[in-house]
Tab-separated table of all heavy atoms in Angstrom:
chain	number	residue	atom	x	y	z
A	268	PHE	N	120.078	97.974	137.387
A	268	PHE	CA	121.473	97.620	137.119
A	268	PHE	C	122.394	98.755	137.540
A	268	PHE	O	122.118	99.890	137.171
A	268	PHE	CB	121.725	97.282	135.656
A	268	PHE	CG	123.093	96.741	135.383
A	268	PHE	CD1	123.357	95.406	135.455
A	268	PHE	CD2	124.121	97.653	135.240
A	268	PHE	CE1	124.604	94.907	135.269
A	268	PHE	CE2	125.409	97.192	135.043
A	268	PHE	CZ	125.622	95.772	135.059
A	282	ASN	N	124.651	99.144	121.581
A	282	ASN	CA	123.416	99.770	122.131
A	282	ASN	C	123.564	101.296	122.272
A	282	ASN	O	122.653	102.039	122.025
A	282	ASN	CB	123.126	99.154	123.564
A	282	ASN	CG	122.668	97.746	123.411
A	282	ASN	OD1	121.779	97.453	122.652
A	282	ASN	ND2	123.468	96.862	124.102
A	343	THR	N	130.929	88.922	132.867
A	343	THR	CA	130.227	89.463	131.724
A	343	THR	C	130.573	88.575	130.582
A	343	THR	O	131.517	87.739	130.579
A	343	THR	CB	130.632	90.911	131.418
A	343	THR	OG1	129.793	91.430	130.368
A	343	THR	CG2	132.076	91.031	131.060
A	402	ARG	N	119.054	88.828	109.938
A	402	ARG	CA	119.660	90.154	109.982
A	402	ARG	C	120.581	90.358	108.743
A	402	ARG	O	120.989	89.343	108.180
A	402	ARG	CB	120.507	90.354	111.222
A	402	ARG	CG	119.555	90.226	112.497
A	402	ARG	CD	120.356	90.048	113.710
A	402	ARG	NE	120.886	91.279	114.218
A	402	ARG	CZ	121.789	91.379	115.281
A	402	ARG	NH1	122.244	90.325	115.826
A	402	ARG	NH2	122.232	92.508	115.640
A	604	LYS	N	135.736	39.635	112.895
A	604	LYS	CA	134.685	38.578	112.946
A	604	LYS	C	134.289	38.205	111.405
A	604	LYS	O	134.174	37.058	111.151
A	604	LYS	CB	133.457	39.119	113.699
A	604	LYS	CG	132.335	38.109	113.817
A	604	LYS	CD	132.759	37.114	114.907
A	604	LYS	CE	131.680	36.098	115.018
A	604	LYS	NZ	132.051	34.940	116.000
A	610	ARG	N	136.988	32.983	106.470
A	610	ARG	CA	138.006	31.761	106.598
A	610	ARG	C	137.245	30.514	106.669
A	610	ARG	O	137.600	29.471	106.057
A	610	ARG	CB	138.951	32.033	107.781
A	610	ARG	CG	139.939	33.119	107.582
A	610	ARG	CD	140.791	33.204	108.858
A	610	ARG	NE	141.501	32.054	109.179
A	610	ARG	CZ	141.501	31.427	110.394
A	610	ARG	NH1	140.780	31.977	111.381
A	610	ARG	NH2	142.151	30.307	110.580
A	652	ARG	N	118.915	57.225	109.574
A	652	ARG	CA	119.316	56.690	110.866
A	652	ARG	C	120.529	55.767	110.587
A	652	ARG	O	120.438	54.594	110.538
A	652	ARG	CB	118.174	55.961	111.569
A	652	ARG	CG	116.975	56.895	111.572
A	652	ARG	CD	115.744	56.130	112.208
A	652	ARG	NE	116.004	55.884	113.599
A	652	ARG	CZ	115.103	56.076	114.550
A	652	ARG	NH1	113.838	56.437	114.207
A	652	ARG	NH2	115.420	55.790	115.803
A	665	TRP	N	126.755	39.245	112.781
A	665	TRP	CA	127.351	38.606	113.904
A	665	TRP	C	126.397	37.578	114.631
A	665	TRP	O	126.766	36.437	114.808
A	665	TRP	CB	127.691	39.701	114.972
A	665	TRP	CG	128.792	39.170	115.918
A	665	TRP	CD1	128.734	38.117	116.669
A	665	TRP	CD2	130.104	39.851	116.233
A	665	TRP	NE1	129.864	38.007	117.479
A	665	TRP	CE2	130.753	39.066	117.205
A	665	TRP	CE3	130.672	41.057	115.778
A	665	TRP	CZ2	131.962	39.371	117.734
A	665	TRP	CZ3	131.927	41.363	116.341
A	665	TRP	CH2	132.570	40.565	117.260
A	680	TYR	N	134.036	18.492	112.502
A	680	TYR	CA	135.460	18.853	112.271
A	680	TYR	C	136.089	17.933	111.215
A	680	TYR	O	135.935	16.814	111.225
A	680	TYR	CB	136.197	18.684	113.563
A	680	TYR	CG	137.644	19.015	113.486
A	680	TYR	CD1	138.051	20.252	112.937
A	680	TYR	CD2	138.629	18.177	114.033
A	680	TYR	CE1	139.434	20.553	112.768
A	680	TYR	CE2	140.003	18.466	113.956
A	680	TYR	CZ	140.381	19.668	113.296
A	680	TYR	OH	141.661	19.965	113.287
A	845	PHE	N	100.817	37.277	135.362
A	845	PHE	CA	100.498	37.736	133.953
A	845	PHE	C	99.046	37.470	133.606
A	845	PHE	O	98.398	38.273	133.003
A	845	PHE	CB	101.539	37.091	133.013
A	845	PHE	CG	101.313	37.535	131.575
A	845	PHE	CD1	101.608	38.845	131.235
A	845	PHE	CD2	100.782	36.662	130.718
A	845	PHE	CE1	101.402	39.239	129.941
A	845	PHE	CE2	100.550	37.063	129.358
A	845	PHE	CZ	100.934	38.360	129.034
A	858	PHE	N	86.947	48.122	128.863
A	858	PHE	CA	88.064	47.811	128.003
A	858	PHE	C	87.495	47.024	126.760
A	858	PHE	O	87.755	47.302	125.666
A	858	PHE	CB	89.090	46.902	128.775
A	858	PHE	CG	90.109	46.281	127.816
A	858	PHE	CD1	91.107	47.065	127.247
A	858	PHE	CD2	90.056	44.943	127.551
A	858	PHE	CE1	92.030	46.561	126.328
A	858	PHE	CE2	91.004	44.415	126.633
A	858	PHE	CZ	92.014	45.214	126.080
A	873	LYS	N	96.536	35.975	124.589
A	873	LYS	CA	97.451	36.027	125.556
A	873	LYS	C	97.002	35.195	126.735
A	873	LYS	O	97.721	34.448	127.427
A	873	LYS	CB	97.698	37.433	126.088
A	873	LYS	CG	98.804	38.170	125.345
A	873	LYS	CD	98.643	39.710	125.286
A	873	LYS	CE	98.962	40.342	126.642
A	873	LYS	NZ	98.839	41.931	126.512
B	14	A	P	117.727	58.447	120.453
B	14	A	OP1	117.729	59.535	119.559
B	14	A	OP2	117.015	58.519	121.752
B	14	A	O5'	117.201	57.172	119.711
B	14	A	C5'	116.572	56.140	120.440
B	14	A	C4'	116.248	55.079	119.477
B	14	A	O4'	116.742	53.805	120.049
B	14	A	C3'	114.729	54.869	119.379
B	14	A	O3'	114.222	55.442	118.189
B	14	A	C2'	114.600	53.337	119.187
B	14	A	O2'	114.878	52.892	117.843
B	14	A	C1'	115.681	52.848	120.199
B	14	A	N9	115.233	52.725	121.505
B	14	A	C8	115.599	53.680	122.586
B	14	A	N7	115.028	53.260	123.818
B	14	A	C5	114.264	52.149	123.524
B	14	A	C6	113.400	51.340	124.254
B	14	A	N6	113.250	51.531	125.529
B	14	A	N1	112.826	50.356	123.666
B	14	A	C2	113.009	50.104	122.329
B	14	A	N3	113.782	50.834	121.475
B	14	A	C4	114.360	51.874	122.071
B	19	G	P	100.703	52.294	122.302
B	19	G	OP1	101.284	52.979	123.403
B	19	G	OP2	101.455	51.594	121.203
B	19	G	O5'	99.584	51.319	122.841
B	19	G	C5'	99.999	50.410	123.926
B	19	G	C4'	99.023	49.225	123.866
B	19	G	O4'	97.781	49.747	124.105
B	19	G	C3'	99.009	48.693	122.361
B	19	G	O3'	99.897	47.618	122.235
B	19	G	C2'	97.578	48.346	122.161
B	19	G	O2'	97.352	46.895	122.247
B	19	G	C1'	96.873	48.885	123.416
B	19	G	N9	95.714	49.730	123.085
B	19	G	C8	95.382	50.461	121.977
B	19	G	N7	94.247	51.125	122.015
B	19	G	C5	93.768	50.630	123.210
B	19	G	C6	92.535	50.896	123.855
B	19	G	O6	91.603	51.711	123.455
B	19	G	N1	92.402	50.322	125.105
B	19	G	C2	93.385	49.483	125.670
B	19	G	N2	93.144	48.886	126.757
B	19	G	N3	94.539	49.178	125.073
B	19	G	C4	94.644	49.807	123.857
B	21	U	P	100.733	40.673	124.389
B	21	U	OP1	100.515	39.223	124.391
B	21	U	OP2	100.120	41.470	125.522
B	21	U	O5'	102.244	41.073	124.436
B	21	U	C5'	102.663	42.254	125.150
B	21	U	C4'	103.783	41.838	126.104
B	21	U	O4'	103.422	40.710	126.888
B	21	U	C3'	105.064	41.373	125.425
B	21	U	O3'	105.758	42.508	125.083
B	21	U	C2'	105.694	40.652	126.595
B	21	U	O2'	106.558	41.475	127.353
B	21	U	C1'	104.656	40.194	127.471
B	21	U	N1	104.508	38.753	127.636
B	21	U	C2	104.052	38.349	128.901
B	21	U	O2	103.779	39.086	129.796
B	21	U	N3	104.095	37.022	129.002
B	21	U	C4	104.373	36.033	128.066
B	21	U	O4	104.336	34.844	128.320
B	21	U	C5	104.844	36.549	126.758
B	21	U	C6	104.902	37.921	126.631
B	36	U	P	139.481	24.396	119.429
B	36	U	OP1	140.855	23.842	119.181
B	36	U	OP2	139.402	25.626	120.238
B	36	U	O5'	138.823	24.710	117.983
B	36	U	C5'	139.573	24.730	116.837
B	36	U	C4'	139.063	23.770	115.795
B	36	U	O4'	139.092	22.408	116.261
B	36	U	C3'	137.663	23.975	115.469
B	36	U	O3'	137.562	25.076	114.472
B	36	U	C2'	137.245	22.621	114.867
B	36	U	O2'	137.511	22.487	113.491
B	36	U	C1'	138.075	21.682	115.612
B	36	U	N1	137.401	20.797	116.595
B	36	U	C2	136.379	19.931	116.217
B	36	U	O2	136.022	19.961	115.065
B	36	U	N3	135.831	19.165	117.191
B	36	U	C4	136.213	19.099	118.489
B	36	U	O4	135.618	18.337	119.273
B	36	U	C5	137.228	20.010	118.818
B	36	U	C6	137.853	20.802	117.959
B	37	A	P	136.137	25.396	113.811
B	37	A	OP1	135.238	25.509	114.816
B	37	A	OP2	135.883	24.635	112.545
B	37	A	O5'	136.738	26.747	113.183
B	37	A	C5'	137.692	26.905	112.259
B	37	A	C4'	137.933	28.293	111.968
B	37	A	O4'	136.723	28.875	111.315
B	37	A	C3'	138.159	29.147	113.195
B	37	A	O3'	139.535	29.152	113.528
B	37	A	C2'	137.629	30.535	112.716
B	37	A	O2'	138.620	31.221	111.995
B	37	A	C1'	136.476	30.199	111.823
B	37	A	N9	135.179	30.090	112.538
B	37	A	C8	134.667	29.065	113.146
B	37	A	N7	133.469	29.281	113.634
B	37	A	C5	133.164	30.547	113.154
B	37	A	C6	132.046	31.340	113.335
B	37	A	N6	130.865	31.001	113.937
B	37	A	N1	132.049	32.584	112.793
B	37	A	C2	133.231	32.997	112.134
B	37	A	N3	134.280	32.340	111.984
B	37	A	C4	134.246	31.108	112.486
B	38	C	P	139.942	29.200	115.076
B	38	C	OP1	141.475	28.998	115.027
B	38	C	OP2	139.112	28.308	115.769
B	38	C	O5'	139.632	30.715	115.561
B	38	C	C5'	140.421	31.769	115.021
B	38	C	C4'	139.727	33.124	115.249
B	38	C	O4'	138.392	32.899	114.625
B	38	C	C3'	139.394	33.422	116.709
B	38	C	O3'	140.487	34.062	117.306
B	38	C	C2'	138.209	34.378	116.539
B	38	C	O2'	138.635	35.667	116.230
B	38	C	C1'	137.453	33.760	115.392
B	38	C	N1	136.282	33.009	115.719
B	38	C	C2	135.038	33.633	115.696
B	38	C	O2	134.997	34.864	115.397
B	38	C	N3	133.913	32.976	116.050
B	38	C	C4	134.024	31.720	116.426
B	38	C	N4	132.896	31.075	116.747
B	38	C	C5	135.323	30.941	116.477
B	38	C	C6	136.380	31.675	116.095
B	40	C	P	142.239	38.701	121.850
B	40	C	OP1	143.099	38.175	120.854
B	40	C	OP2	142.686	39.769	122.769
B	40	C	O5'	140.932	39.309	121.148
B	40	C	C5'	140.010	40.324	121.717
B	40	C	C4'	139.151	40.704	120.610
B	40	C	O4'	139.827	41.559	119.721
B	40	C	C3'	138.688	39.487	119.788
B	40	C	O3'	137.402	39.005	119.988
B	40	C	C2'	139.161	39.781	118.367
B	40	C	O2'	138.102	39.725	117.415
B	40	C	C1'	139.811	41.150	118.385
B	40	C	N1	141.167	41.218	117.801
B	40	C	C2	141.333	41.838	116.561
B	40	C	O2	140.305	42.334	116.068
B	40	C	N3	142.551	42.049	116.116
B	40	C	C4	143.641	41.544	116.806
B	40	C	N4	144.863	41.669	116.275
B	40	C	C5	143.499	40.853	117.944
B	40	C	C6	142.297	40.734	118.516
B	42	G	P	131.885	35.655	119.511
B	42	G	OP1	130.904	35.841	118.361
B	42	G	OP2	131.841	36.648	120.553
B	42	G	O5'	131.563	34.225	120.144
B	42	G	C5'	131.599	33.098	119.397
B	42	G	C4'	131.363	31.860	120.216
B	42	G	O4'	132.499	31.760	121.153
B	42	G	C3'	130.243	31.961	121.210
B	42	G	O3'	129.023	31.652	120.590
B	42	G	C2'	130.596	30.877	122.222
B	42	G	O2'	130.399	29.571	121.717
B	42	G	C1'	132.104	31.170	122.347
B	42	G	N9	132.371	32.137	123.440
B	42	G	C8	132.763	33.463	123.369
B	42	G	N7	132.963	34.030	124.468
B	42	G	C5	132.742	33.076	125.375
B	42	G	C6	132.745	33.126	126.845
B	42	G	O6	133.099	34.014	127.530
B	42	G	N1	132.384	31.824	127.399
B	42	G	C2	132.079	30.715	126.675
B	42	G	N2	131.793	29.647	127.374
B	42	G	N3	132.027	30.675	125.309
B	42	G	C4	132.368	31.837	124.778
B	58	C	P	87.335	55.869	130.941
B	58	C	OP1	86.241	55.460	130.103
B	58	C	OP2	87.327	56.703	132.131
B	58	C	O5'	88.198	54.527	131.245
B	58	C	C5'	87.771	53.690	132.288
B	58	C	C4'	88.564	52.370	132.181
B	58	C	O4'	88.154	51.591	130.970
B	58	C	C3'	90.075	52.475	132.009
B	58	C	O3'	90.688	52.635	133.226
B	58	C	C2'	90.423	51.248	131.341
B	58	C	O2'	90.426	50.145	132.212
B	58	C	C1'	89.191	51.013	130.426
B	58	C	N1	89.472	51.525	129.120
B	58	C	C2	90.353	50.810	128.245
B	58	C	O2	90.936	49.810	128.605
B	58	C	N3	90.522	51.304	126.967
B	58	C	C4	89.902	52.391	126.554
B	58	C	N4	90.213	52.858	125.285
B	58	C	C5	89.018	53.132	127.405
B	58	C	C6	88.852	52.649	128.600
B	75	A	P	122.013	86.772	117.592
B	75	A	OP1	122.222	87.668	116.414
B	75	A	OP2	123.122	86.073	118.148
B	75	A	O5'	121.304	87.633	118.698
B	75	A	C5'	120.235	88.485	118.415
B	75	A	C4'	119.693	89.119	119.701
B	75	A	O4'	119.153	88.017	120.531
B	75	A	C3'	120.671	89.868	120.611
B	75	A	O3'	120.962	91.177	120.160
B	75	A	C2'	119.924	89.804	121.922
B	75	A	O2'	118.849	90.748	121.908
B	75	A	C1'	119.351	88.398	121.868
B	75	A	N9	120.243	87.444	122.469
B	75	A	C8	121.142	86.611	121.906
B	75	A	N7	121.869	85.858	122.717
B	75	A	C5	121.389	86.321	123.952
B	75	A	C6	121.720	85.895	125.286
B	75	A	N6	122.676	84.992	125.598
B	75	A	N1	121.066	86.497	126.349
B	75	A	C2	120.181	87.308	126.018
B	75	A	N3	119.731	87.889	124.860
B	75	A	C4	120.380	87.215	123.844
B	77	C	P	124.897	94.422	125.456
B	77	C	OP1	125.060	95.716	124.958
B	77	C	OP2	125.814	93.328	125.069
B	77	C	O5'	124.793	94.440	127.018
B	77	C	C5'	123.820	95.269	127.653
B	77	C	C4'	123.940	95.333	129.103
B	77	C	O4'	122.728	95.247	129.729
B	77	C	C3'	124.797	94.309	129.802
B	77	C	O3'	126.198	94.748	129.748
B	77	C	C2'	124.275	94.376	131.217
B	77	C	O2'	124.850	95.515	131.916
B	77	C	C1'	122.766	94.728	131.011
B	77	C	N1	121.880	93.542	131.090
B	77	C	C2	121.180	93.338	132.303
B	77	C	O2	121.395	94.231	133.247
B	77	C	N3	120.403	92.258	132.469
B	77	C	C4	120.249	91.395	131.507
B	77	C	N4	119.432	90.370	131.739
B	77	C	C5	121.001	91.551	130.274
B	77	C	C6	121.809	92.622	130.133
B	78	A	P	127.336	93.783	130.378
B	78	A	OP1	127.937	92.902	129.519
B	78	A	OP2	126.586	93.239	131.542
B	78	A	O5'	128.360	94.864	130.873
B	78	A	C5'	128.022	95.983	131.543
B	78	A	C4'	127.842	97.083	130.634
B	78	A	O4'	126.404	97.467	130.869
B	78	A	C3'	128.729	98.285	130.930
B	78	A	O3'	129.653	98.378	129.867
B	78	A	C2'	127.817	99.507	130.992
B	78	A	O2'	127.999	100.263	129.861
B	78	A	C1'	126.359	98.943	130.881
B	78	A	N9	125.541	99.274	131.946
B	78	A	C8	125.883	99.545	133.310
B	78	A	N7	124.892	99.945	134.057
B	78	A	C5	123.787	99.884	133.130
B	78	A	C6	122.401	100.172	133.337
B	78	A	N6	121.921	100.528	134.469
B	78	A	N1	121.600	100.097	132.302
B	78	A	C2	122.137	99.689	131.119
B	78	A	N3	123.403	99.411	130.804
B	78	A	C4	124.144	99.518	131.931
Side-chain angles (χ1 to χ4, degrees):
Chain A
F268 187 92
N282 289 307
T343 186
R402 298 163 82 187
K604 186 72 186 177
R610 287 177 60 230
R652 305 177 70 138
W665 202 308
Y680 181 49
F845 179 70
F858 170 73
K873 272 154 73 175

